[in-house]
Amino acid sequence: MDNKKIAIIFPGMGYHSDKPLLYFSKRLARENNYEIIEVNYEFPYKAREIMNDKARMKEAFEIAVSQIKEQLSQIDFGMYSDVIFIGKSIGTALAAHFDKELQVGARHIVFTPVPQTFEMLRDNAGIVFHGLSDPWCPSDIARKKCDELQLELITIDNANHSLETDSPLKDIDNLRSIMKKVRQFIKEYRVIMFDLDGTVTDSGRAITSSVEYALSHFGITDQPREKLQTFIGPSLYDSFVREYGMNDEDCNRAVALYRSIYEKERMYDVDIYDGIPQLLAALKERGLTVFLITSKPLVFAEKILEKIGLSKYFDHMVGPDLSDHSSDKKRLIENAITTHGLEKNDCVMIGDTAYDIKGASDAGIDSIAVTYGYGNTEEMLNNGATHLAASAREVCDILRV
């Protein structure tokens, strides 16, 4: 099996594949190199004639099944590394039915399901979009079933069965938010970039104790832990300027003092975050390209990863030399992209601070903001985080490994 991907579109009754939800989903799938197949079916009823009529709904469903069967029989799903079924209304039930019958193992984007959809969907099958004013599916059923099946549920206030409200401007905003979630669900990253401190390793003790040592030579003692932790992530030079207003001469002295104790005694006083080795191993098993992108001097980062046994998982490491005082992650990311001929659409940056997330955004790539490190979640969101993850396990889920 090579890296071929396919998306199958299952329209609703009266909601064809060129209406907004399906049209833009198709475009996003095509943008991410999915082959697109649109199944077609016709009904003897109009949509309003089967709403809340179980007998007619069942008949319409069976009619559509008979029409779709031949169309899907032409597809060898075993050829594809990823299959997404994108359904609307009764189309979501049809998608679930054929996924189960053909044992495809598809991922599902479920727009405005009908209650029957949940009878056939697998656990963890995908993402569900539901309008809280949708007369076709009571919201209590949608919530209960999504909870039971561990499906991600996105609800839209005051939205009907087309996920529309009585406000066109609100609908445009909602559509933008919906498509952002769809893009995140569809997206498959091939190049995974990791920050080090606060993302791969918990290096808080090593960094803050070394900062305390350097500050003590300036008569600065008993500093708040929160202030010391702001040194985790950006460059030392920038941090001494930002937090203590040091001039160039004092900054260089403080950095030298820090490094004297850090390299000699404290560099390896780090813990590996739970699940990180398993995440890195899974990425390598999938054949993905893994980068380290760190503001820590590269010579230190390389030694740390070698010492803790993680260097084998990284294809490339990018970081500043000892004379480089910049905290600019954008520059480091762009260096990796240019040097290795990467496609931005394939890349995602994983980090725990706004410096990581802003660097990714400014460089034009997606990001995963991990909330278990030392950064501020609100700041990361404000700087354009594409995804949030509270653990390495959640990063695995986002990257589908």
Side-chain angles (χ1 to χ4, degrees):
M1 181 194 302
D2 56 21
N3 194 39
K4 293 177 65 177
K5 301 178 290 187
I6 190 169
I8 312 295
I9 313 299
F10 293 82
M13 295 179 70
Y15 199 100
H16 54 73
S17 61
D18 284 333
K19 287 196 172 183
L21 296 171
L22 298 181
Y23 172 76
F24 287 109
S25 296
K26 282 191 302 181
R27 289 188 60 181
L28 289 170
R30 190 173 288 115
E31 179 183 278
N32 284 278
N33 302 313
Y34 283 77
E35 179 184 341
I36 308 295
I37 300 291
E38 302 176 37
V39 296
N40 300 298
Y41 33 87
E42 296 180 356
F43 300 99
Y45 307 113
K46 295 186 182 300
R48 63 177 178 273
E49 294 174 335
I50 69 169
M51 186 171 64
N52 300 321
D53 187 327
K54 290 185 178 180
R56 284 189 171 182
M57 173 70 83
K58 184 174 184 294
E59 183 181 357
F61 179 85
E62 290 172 350
I63 289 170
V65 165
S66 66
Q67 296 177 56
I68 296 170
K69 201 165 197 174
E70 184 176 351
Q71 298 172 58
L72 294 187
S73 70
Q74 309 301 314
I75 302 171
D76 179 2
F77 287 105
M79 294 173 50
Y80 297 93
S81 62
D82 189 33
V83 179
I84 297 179
F85 283 177
I86 305 175
K88 171 73 175 74
S89 187
I90 193 174
T92 66
L94 292 163
H97 166 82
F98 279 103
D99 185 20
K100 183 177 181 180
E101 180 175 281
L102 302 176
Q103 298 185 330
V104 175
R107 298 190 298 130
H108 289 253
I109 298 173
V110 179
F111 289 122
T112 64
V114 293
Q116 293 85 342
T117 303
F118 297 112
E119 298 171 10
M120 293 171 281
L121 274 175
R122 307 181 326 275
D123 288 357
N124 295 301
I127 187 169
V128 175
F129 295 89
H130 168 71
L132 293 178
S133 296
D134 184 350
W136 286 75
C137 183
S139 295
D140 59 339
I141 290 178
R143 290 193 177 99
K144 179 175 183 292
K145 292 297 185 180
C146 285
D147 183 60
E148 290 175 357
L149 296 170
Q150 301 176 64
L151 303 170
E152 183 178 1
L153 174 64
I154 309 298
T155 59
I156 314 297
D157 288 340
N158 303 313
N160 61 20
H161 196 55
S162 295
L163 296 183
E164 295 177 355
T165 69
D166 57 3
S167 168
L169 293 180
K170 181 64 175 175
D171 290 344
I172 292 171
D173 288 341
N174 285 341
L175 183 61
R176 181 187 299 274
S177 297
I178 291 165
M179 288 303 127
K180 183 177 179 180
K181 295 293 293 187
V182 169
R183 178 181 179 273
Q184 291 172 2
F185 184 84
I186 289 175
K187 186 83 173 180
E188 184 175 45
Y189 301 107
R190 305 296 302 171
V191 179
I192 317 302
M193 299 177 173
F194 283 88
D195 169 53
L196 180 58
D197 297 323
T199 302
V200 173
T201 60
D202 184 350
S203 48
R205 294 188 306 273
I207 292 174
T208 58
S209 65
S210 299
V211 171
E212 285 180 310
Y213 174 81
L215 290 173
S216 69
H217 288 72
F218 293 85
I220 303 171
T221 59
D222 299 324
Q223 295 300 287
R225 183 62 45 188
E226 296 77 13
K227 191 169 187 178
L228 295 172
Q229 287 178 345
T230 64
F231 281 74
I232 304 170
S235 80
L236 290 170
Y237 190 95
D238 286 350
S239 295
F240 282 121
V241 171
R242 182 188 66 248
E243 298 299 329
Y244 295 96
M246 291 187 180
N247 59 32
D248 188 62
E249 181 180 351
D250 285 345
C251 273
N252 286 329
R253 181 176 173 229
V255 169
L257 287 163
Y258 173 100
R259 288 176 177 167
S260 69
I261 194 72
Y262 178 77
E263 187 171 13
K264 182 180 179 181
E265 298 181 11
R266 301 176 184 177
M267 183 164 63
Y268 303 120
D269 184 17
V270 301
D271 297 315
I272 304 170
Y273 283 110
D274 288 346
I276 288 295
Q278 294 82 357
L279 166 59
L280 291 170
L283 295 174
K284 295 307 294 179
E285 186 177 344
R286 276 281 305 277
L288 304 180
T289 302
V290 180
F291 276 78
L292 182 76
I293 306 286
T294 180
S295 294
K296 182 187 291 296
L298 186 58
V299 63
F300 294 158
E302 290 173 334
K303 289 179 179 180
I304 292 167
L305 288 174
E306 183 66 30
K307 180 74 172 179
I308 63 179
L310 297 184
S311 61
K312 62 186 177 183
Y313 295 117
F314 290 88
D315 298 290
H316 309 284
M317 299 186 193
V318 178
D321 60 35
L322 288 169
S323 64
D324 189 343
H325 300 318
S326 174
S327 297
D328 185 7
K329 277 287 176 73
K330 174 191 176 187
R331 177 173 59 91
L332 297 172
I333 293 169
E334 288 180 337
N335 182 346
I337 290 170
T338 301
T339 302
H340 297 279
L342 308 176
E343 294 290 335
K344 291 184 178 182
N345 201 42
D346 290 336
C347 300
V348 64
M349 177 72 201
I350 305 172
D352 73 306
T353 69
Y355 298 97
D356 304 309
I357 305 309
K358 185 177 188 303
S361 181
D362 289 348
I365 69 170
D366 285 357
S367 59
I368 301 174
V370 296
T371 60
Y372 56 75
Y374 289 90
N376 179 285
T377 301
E378 185 176 354
E379 287 181 0
M380 291 192 286
L381 288 171
N382 289 340
N383 277 281
T386 313
H387 309 269
L388 283 181
S391 65
R393 177 65 261 170
E394 291 188 11
V395 175
C396 283
D397 292 340
I398 292 168
L399 298 178
R400 305 204 295 275
V401 296

